[in-house]
Amino acid sequence: MESGQRMTDGRKRWLWLVGAAVWLGLPWLVFGNNYVLSTLILIGLYALVSTGMTLLMGYAGQISLGQAAFYGIGAYTSAYLTAHAGWSAWLALAAGAALAALVALVVGIPVFRLREHYLALATLGFGVIMFTFFKEWKGITGGLNGFFGIPPIRIAGIPLQSDLPFYYLVSLFVLAGVWFARNIVRSRVGRALRAIHGSEVAASSLGVNITKYKLQMFMLSAVYASAAGSLYAHYVTFINPDLFGIVPSIYFLIMVVIGGTGSVWGGLVGAAVYVCLGEWLKAVVPLLLPNAGGEFEIVFFGLLLVVMLIYMPNGLTGVAAKGWRRLWKASWRQQKQTAAVDSHQARSIGGERG
Amino acid sequence: MEAWSQFVQLLFSGLTVGSIYALVALGFVITYSVTGILNLAQGDFAMLGALLCMTFVNSGMPFALAIGLSIAAVMAIGALFERLAIQPARRSSVAVLIIITIGVSFVFRGLALLVWGTDPYALRPFSGHEALHLFGAVIQWQSIWAVIISVISFLALHLFLNRTSIGKAVTACVINPFAARLMGINIRKMSLGAMAVSAGLGALAGIVIAPISGASYDMGMMIGLKAFIAAVVGGLTNAPAAIAGAFLVGLLESFAEGYLSSGYKEAISFGLLLLVLFFMPNGLFAKMTGKRV
């Protein structure tokens, strides 16, 4: 499903160069505007979570309604180990990722015996249970009052306290995340995942160990979320349980759906659109509807989610890929092939119809 | 004696909450049985029902009329939801349909926030403010109303499904949609009706609970999720078992809150959900009562 696969190397190189230039130049274009920079950082952090989820949902075809729990595991592990145990932020980040992977393994083994509704419910239940622990385990998480005074992340002993270096750090994580996801998608694992997505029965009859692959993707998506959570904790230096409840999990889901699960870039696109739209709505809605509460944008995101799923089930990257192919005048045959894949994907974002 | 009165108190609060979950869970079971969709916006019907009823009552409408009107309004909203969001996507995968209901739930939440704001509202009890004293415990009349209404709703539904021809058609859709269509049953109408009835049951649940715990724009999610647990514990397509599941969840929560810690009650009910999902995916009562409605 990737447009990149069909491009020549020359075009691809150009695309990478332009991308790198935009990435390096973006903060300088908005220099001095910390608001834009912090928005970009937020996009990066969410992109990391939703890239992991894209792997899980798009490629393994599994739905997760509790992803914010892993985000929280990363954030609280980092917060506790750096603030109370004096660990370096990097070690704490790694520890959080390892813990998230372990939790995903323990939860995933029974959960992935379930399918469809039950899987969605089980991940939702897991999310609520973790949220309760974040809220109630006051000795470690600070409870509802939150966790204050998380030390900043350090590179070569220098704390990253301003937004600019943090922007580059987060972007590096996102790039590494997308690059890793691309490699996975194109590897043997990726082919196995696509087979699972197409038909679990067919895949298993060909000898694909379905549970193992699903579990691996679940653990991987947990690591992505946890790393993003750790970075978030060190960036804002204050966290509270509300950031890691069910509603944030649904926001991550919305990002993945907006971006589209057919491409590894979907997470980044979805996060960018989600954050930008959210900020824009926060600015515009109070002007149009002075009485609207602070959370009014949820109506909009709810509608967007429904409309996207009905009319654009491949998300924005799906639409972009189609447009891109048209732009480069792909041969008639290729279009026909991808159209077949598109309609297939439209039917099966989350596994087969029961 | 102190311990005894606490026990009775917790028992009654568990039964009250359980009966609310039962009403919403009945809605789940109907929708799921007829359409195969797990409607995560079910709890928001309760929220809409409660807030609408409160608005109607405050505008000076007679209480009974306000209740009837708000239930009818929420049923219409449910039907609209089915036509606008579920029908266009009916060929999508199960996961997509679940996510669509989440999206609709967000829309309901947001609209309620816009209309009613973030403040919780109170609705007056159905029959006065005086309470019943039983074994040293204080029991609100509203709690008794909640239990009675859920039992009556269940019985009415049971009679409807088993004694009327439309009800039998619904049952046919549940057992085998393809055969039902061959017999000339209009599945699309059934789906619309199922959604409207579920919405009405949800609204009723919201109206019953509003005098006890208040009504606010974000009450839907937790009620919905708990009712969900109840339905899953009961096996998703089994109405009596879903009701049993609802009372089980309500009592478990109430006793967990009273004897352990209030903070963990949600984790306890969702823990129950996970245990049932892992070990008895057909529900706790699968063997006792058979599988279908």
Side-chain angles (χ1 to χ4, degrees):
Chain A
M1 249 330 281
E2 284 193 46
S3 54
Q5 277 171 328
R6 282 179 210 90
M7 272 185 274
T8 62
D9 280 350
R11 280 176 197 157
K12 215 152 121 187
R13 203 167 294 140
W14 270 107
L15 208 64
W16 279 104
L17 276 174
V18 171
V22 170
W23 168 51
L24 287 168
L26 212 48
W28 305 97
L29 287 175
V30 298
F31 192 67
N33 191 337
N34 277 330
Y35 165 70
V36 177
L37 211 49
S38 64
T39 308
L40 288 174
I41 290 170
L42 201 62
I43 291 175
L45 292 170
Y46 288 168
L48 208 51
V49 183
S50 46
T51 303
M53 266 181 96
T54 301
L55 280 177
L56 182 69
M57 280 177 63
Y59 291 92
Q62 305 305 310
I63 181 174
S64 169
L65 297 180
Q67 208 66 10
F70 294 116
Y71 190 55
I73 288 175
Y76 279 113
T77 311
S78 275
Y80 187 80
L81 290 179
T82 53
H84 292 326
W87 287 36
S88 107
W90 296 103
L91 267 179
L93 187 146
L99 182 63
L102 186 71
V103 171
L105 179 70
V106 172
V107 174
I109 288 172
V111 160
F112 284 117
R113 293 207 321 246
L114 306 166
R115 289 164 48 93
E116 294 169 350
H117 298 116
Y118 296 103
L119 180 68
L121 271 183
T123 54
L124 193 88
F126 164 69
V128 174
I129 290 172
M130 287 309 298
F131 173 65
T132 311
F133 279 116
F134 294 147
K135 218 170 51 180
E136 295 299 320
W137 209 356
K138 297 189 179 75
I140 287 188
T141 66
L144 280 174
N145 296 327
F147 196 122
F148 291 89
I150 303 162
I153 211 158
R154 285 166 186 273
I155 292 178
I158 304 158
L160 292 191
Q161 269 165 328
S162 64
D163 284 354
L164 193 64
F166 208 88
Y167 165 79
Y168 287 116
L169 178 71
V170 170
S171 312
L172 270 181
F173 267 85
V174 174
L175 276 185
V178 172
W179 175 79
F180 191 68
R182 273 170 81 88
N183 283 348
I184 285 198
V185 165
R186 291 178 179 188
S187 69
R188 191 184 148 78
V189 182
R191 289 195 297 278
L193 288 172
R194 274 194 289 271
I196 293 173
H197 198 163
S199 162
E200 288 196 4
V201 178
S204 80
S205 70
L206 289 170
V208 177
N209 187 340
I210 296 174
T211 316
K212 190 183 93 185
Y213 284 117
K214 283 187 199 166
L215 205 54
Q216 283 177 351
M217 284 306 118
F218 192 48
M219 289 169 71
L220 193 62
S221 75
V223 169
Y224 273 80
S226 166
S230 292
L231 289 172
Y232 181 85
H234 291 300
Y235 174 56
V236 297
T237 71
F238 163 74
I239 49 177
N240 71 56
D242 285 335
L243 296 162
F244 313 111
I246 285 301
V247 174
S249 283
I250 293 171
Y251 282 134
F252 289 133
L253 189 76
I254 292 176
M255 291 176 216
V256 172
V257 169
I258 295 177
T261 51
S263 158
V264 287
W265 295 101
L268 181 57
V269 173
V273 171
Y274 168 82
V275 172
C276 294
L277 265 180
E279 293 299 317
W280 179 72
L281 287 169
K282 261 179 211 148
V284 167
V285 168
L287 302 177
L288 299 176
L289 301 156
N291 299 326
E295 278 182 86
F296 179 68
E297 66 265 19
I298 64 177
V299 185
F300 186 81
F301 282 118
L303 277 177
L304 192 65
L305 187 63
V306 174
V307 171
M308 289 289 288
L309 281 173
I310 296 176
Y311 299 103
M312 265 189 249
N314 290 325
L316 289 177
T317 52
V319 174
K322 218 180 246 174
W324 182 262
R325 279 193 296 276
R326 233 169 252 165
L327 205 66
W328 289 102
K329 296 196 174 94
S331 74
W332 174 81
R333 207 177 133 187
Q334 273 179 343
Q335 274 191 348
K336 203 174 166 189
Q337 275 174 351
T338 44
V341 176
D342 276 353
S343 65
H344 171 72
Q345 281 221 334
R347 271 183 279 118
S348 57
I349 283 193
E352 306 145 73
R353 183 96 163 90
Chain B
M1 204 56 217
E2 186 67 26
W4 179 236
S5 69
Q6 193 195 4
F7 177 83
V8 175
Q9 192 80 61
L10 293 175
L11 181 74
F12 264 86
S13 89
L15 287 175
T16 311
V17 183
S19 61
I20 300 305
Y21 296 162
L23 282 174
V24 183
L26 270 179
F28 266 134
V29 171
I30 295 170
T31 316
Y32 182 78
S33 299
V34 177
T35 63
I37 293 165
L38 209 59
N39 177 14
L40 284 176
Q42 192 71 40
D44 294 288
F45 292 137
M47 175 270 291
L48 289 173
L51 287 172
L52 278 173
C53 187
M54 185 273 306
T55 307
F56 291 148
V57 168
N58 286 357
S59 75
M61 200 180 278
F63 205 53
L65 182 66
I67 292 175
L69 206 60
S70 44
I71 290 176
V74 175
M75 284 178 83
I77 293 171
L80 212 61
F81 164 29
E82 201 271 350
R83 270 297 113 97
L84 295 180
I86 300 297
Q87 276 298 334
R90 66 192 178 283
R91 289 182 199 286
S92 310
S93 71
V94 169
V96 168
L97 286 168
I98 294 179
I99 303 174
I100 286 178
T101 65
I102 294 178
V104 172
S105 158
F106 263 51
V107 173
F108 287 157
R109 255 171 91 103
L111 289 178
L113 183 66
L114 184 66
V115 177
W116 288 285
T118 50
D119 298 330
Y121 293 92
L123 185 67
R124 77 170 175 81
F126 290 6
S127 55
H129 286 276
E130 65 270 29
L132 192 71
H133 293 267
L134 203 71
F135 302 109
V138 183
I139 292 144
Q140 303 288 327
W141 271 106
Q142 191 65 23
S143 298
I144 294 163
W145 273 110
V147 178
I148 292 172
I149 286 176
S150 75
V151 171
I152 291 176
S153 305
F154 167 66
L155 288 177
L157 194 72
H158 189 75
L159 288 177
F160 169 74
L161 288 176
N162 293 305
R163 296 275 184 276
T164 65
S165 59
I166 304 176
K168 283 181 180 154
V170 172
T171 317
C173 290
V174 175
I175 293 167
N176 187 340
F178 182 66
R181 205 157 57 220
L182 287 180
M183 299 304 290
I185 294 168
N186 187 337
I187 299 267
R188 288 185 61 167
K189 267 189 195 154
M190 288 296 157
S191 159
L192 189 71
M195 211 66 147
V197 171
S198 305
L201 284 171
L204 184 62
I207 294 166
V208 173
I209 195 78
I212 298 170
S213 60
S216 65
Y217 82 102
D218 59 353
M219 69 189 275
M221 185 176 270
M222 261 308 150
I223 292 186
L225 292 180
K226 297 295 172 50
F228 227 162
I229 299 176
V232 172
V233 167
L236 265 184
T237 52
N238 185 338
I243 293 194
F247 282 108
L248 180 67
V249 171
L251 289 171
L252 192 71
E253 260 184 16
S254 172
F255 285 116
E257 193 167 14
Y259 292 126
L260 299 168
S261 142
S262 65
Y264 283 103
K265 73 172 188 181
E266 252 105 63
I268 287 169
S269 27
F270 280 95
L272 175 71
L273 170 76
L274 292 186
L275 287 179
V276 171
L277 282 176
F278 296 158
F279 298 111
M280 285 161 282
N282 288 326
L284 278 182
F285 312 105
K287 274 182 197 144
M288 281 155 54
T289 43
K291 249 192 108 181
R292 295 288 187 177
V293 171

